[in-house]
Amino acid sequence: MVIMNGKRVRLARMVLAMGAAISLSACAELTKPLFGTSEPELVTMTSQNLALRSLPAPEKRVRVAVYGFPDLTGQYKERDNVQTLSRAVTQGGSAMLIKALQDAGERHWFTVLDRSGLQDLIRERQIVSEMRRLYRGESNMDPKVLGPLKHAGVILEGGIVGYDTNIQTGGFGARYLGIGADTKWQMDTVTVSLRAVSTESGEVLASVTAQKAIASSALQGNIFRYVALDKLLEMETGITANEPKYVAVQQAIDKAVVGLVIEGSELGIWSFADRKAGRNLIARYRAEKYGNAMPATASRVVPPETRHPARVVEVRPKQRQRTIIRRLKPASTTPAPPPVQTGETLG
């Protein structure tokens, strides 16, 4: 009877091991990536991007210029025993900032001037001027053909200032009768800084810093079990999930643009069309920024010295002076009549 119970126990353990193996293989099949061609799709809108698009409309659209938004971290990707020159974060910060500025209030907030390719723009305008000079003989081109470039009253500068890895790490695992599973996770952080600078005076009008956590996790299961004296069952499966870094950088930039819009309104650089909605938004932003540790100096907002920094004076082409030529009437060819002489006749 004892032998029969021992056989049953071994049989139960074998069935349990095979069942676990089948479960792990099914999980692996479900988590296996689908290879082959796939159709491209638009990037999914994040909750932060939705908050950026939902900003209340401004009183007047603001014209801003973006020259760049570089990676200032200087960090490279980490690899074991291999040196790599690949950057840790994206190098497309300026493109992300331009997109965020256009998304603000669904394009109601900013008119964005892209200065990252300024040399290409100037070169193309020179080509237009040279072609018209060669083929049309225009030494002074009509401003209607190629008007003056628009300029902005505010320049947006900054960059990706921090990328910290392994801020937090952790995990958990368990094993029973040779069947086990474990999970690991890691937390990184990316930080961006954005500031508005006056074109007129060079004064820094407002500055915002935002950060975003980047999560990575791994789940692994394995079986290591002798099912017989000379038979070993071993199986492993797992899945790893990493949050895309460019998505984290884009969310941090979106958050910085939201903060800059609100702080600019609070400082009087620009304003919301709906003043009540603007005040409510500023109150929520200050509660998020300071929490329960608001300093006494924050009760009074100090505006920048530059007055009306978002104002732009348009450059208009100088009007050409018109030369008016008046035609004189030609002299008449008919001879003039002889003069009439008057006087008394003497008798």
Side-chain angles (χ1 to χ4, degrees):
M1 187 68 178
V2 176
I3 297 176
M4 291 298 295
N5 289 337
K7 288 183 178 180
R8 289 178 179 177
V9 169
R10 288 196 297 271
L11 181 61
R13 289 178 177 177
M14 185 179 297
V15 171
L16 180 62
M18 294 301 296
I22 294 173
S23 300
L24 289 175
S25 62
C27 292
E29 185 67 25
L30 291 175
T31 58
K32 183 176 66 176
L34 300 177
F35 296 98
T37 59
S38 61
E39 295 296 328
E41 57 184 10
L42 296 176
V43 177
T44 306
M45 184 187 306
T46 62
S47 58
Q48 184 56 52
N49 186 256
L50 179 60
L52 177 65
R53 293 174 181 269
S54 302
L55 283 173
E59 188 176 23
K60 184 179 180 182
R61 204 174 186 188
V62 182
R63 187 184 299 173
V64 296
V66 177
Y67 281 81
F69 200 78
D71 169 25
L72 303 176
T73 63
Q75 295 193 24
Y76 295 92
K77 287 184 179 179
E78 297 181 357
R79 289 187 180 180
D80 296 336
N81 303 324
V82 177
Q83 183 180 6
T84 176
L85 297 180
S86 180
R87 292 285 186 176
V89 294
T90 177
Q91 304 299 292
S94 59
M96 292 183 175
L97 177 57
I98 290 174
K99 179 184 180 301
L101 293 172
Q102 288 189 319
D103 289 345
E106 288 291 354
R107 301 178 65 93
H108 285 84
W109 261 98
F110 298 106
T111 298
V112 187
L113 304 181
D114 184 6
R115 301 302 196 206
S116 58
L118 183 59
Q119 293 298 326
D120 298 336
L121 179 60
I122 293 177
R123 206 172 286 123
E124 190 67 20
R125 291 171 66 90
Q126 289 175 347
I127 291 175
V128 175
S129 301
E130 186 66 14
M131 292 301 102
R132 295 186 71 89
R133 185 186 68 83
L134 290 176
Y135 296 100
R136 297 179 63 92
E138 296 180 359
S139 57
N140 295 323
M141 191 169 57
D142 190 349
K144 295 180 180 179
V145 176
L146 195 63
L149 284 176
K150 293 184 179 298
H151 66 282
V154 177
I155 302 174
L156 296 185
E157 296 183 345
I160 305 170
V161 297
Y163 180 72
D164 302 311
T165 60
N166 297 332
I167 297 299
Q168 292 181 353
T169 57
F172 175 80
R175 182 181 295 273
Y176 179 72
L177 297 178
I179 304 174
D182 64 272
T183 177
K184 299 177 182 178
W185 58 269
Q186 174 182 323
M187 191 75 70
D188 302 338
T189 303
V190 61
T191 306
V192 301
S193 178
L194 181 64
R195 62 185 180 272
V197 182
S198 171
T199 304
E200 178 184 352
S201 62
E203 180 185 6
V204 177
L205 306 172
S207 181
V208 176
T209 302
Q211 64 180 10
K212 171 68 172 66
I214 306 175
S216 302
S217 62
L219 176 64
Q220 184 177 1
N222 57 75
I223 297 176
F224 187 87
R225 182 69 182 168
Y226 282 97
V227 296
L229 183 62
D230 57 346
K231 295 181 181 179
L232 175 66
L233 174 64
E234 185 175 1
M235 180 173 292
E236 292 184 358
T237 186
I239 182 174
T240 301
N242 298 314
E243 184 178 358
K245 295 179 182 178
Y246 85 93
V247 175
V249 175
Q250 182 69 71
Q251 287 183 299
I253 292 176
D254 290 348
K255 183 66 174 181
V257 171
V258 171
L260 191 68
V261 167
I262 298 175
E263 288 202 6
S265 174
E266 187 179 18
L267 294 170
I269 302 172
W270 43 67
S271 58
F272 292 96
D274 188 347
R275 300 300 177 89
K276 182 178 179 181
R279 287 193 298 268
N280 295 335
L281 198 60
I282 291 174
R284 291 197 299 268
Y285 175 77
R286 289 174 68 88
E288 179 184 359
K289 180 179 179 180
Y290 296 109
N292 297 325
M294 181 181 297
T297 54
S299 60
R300 179 178 177 271
V301 178
V302 181
E305 293 183 0
T306 306
R307 299 302 179 186
H308 309 292
R311 181 181 58 187
V312 176
V313 179
E314 298 290 350
V315 177
R316 302 185 184 278
K318 185 177 180 181
Q319 297 292 334
R320 295 182 179 181
Q321 294 182 354
R322 296 181 179 180
T323 304
I324 302 176
I325 302 176
R326 295 182 178 179
R327 294 183 179 180
L328 300 177
K329 294 182 179 180
S332 178
T333 57
T334 305
V340 179
Q341 296 182 355
T342 59
E344 295 181 354
T345 305
L346 298 176

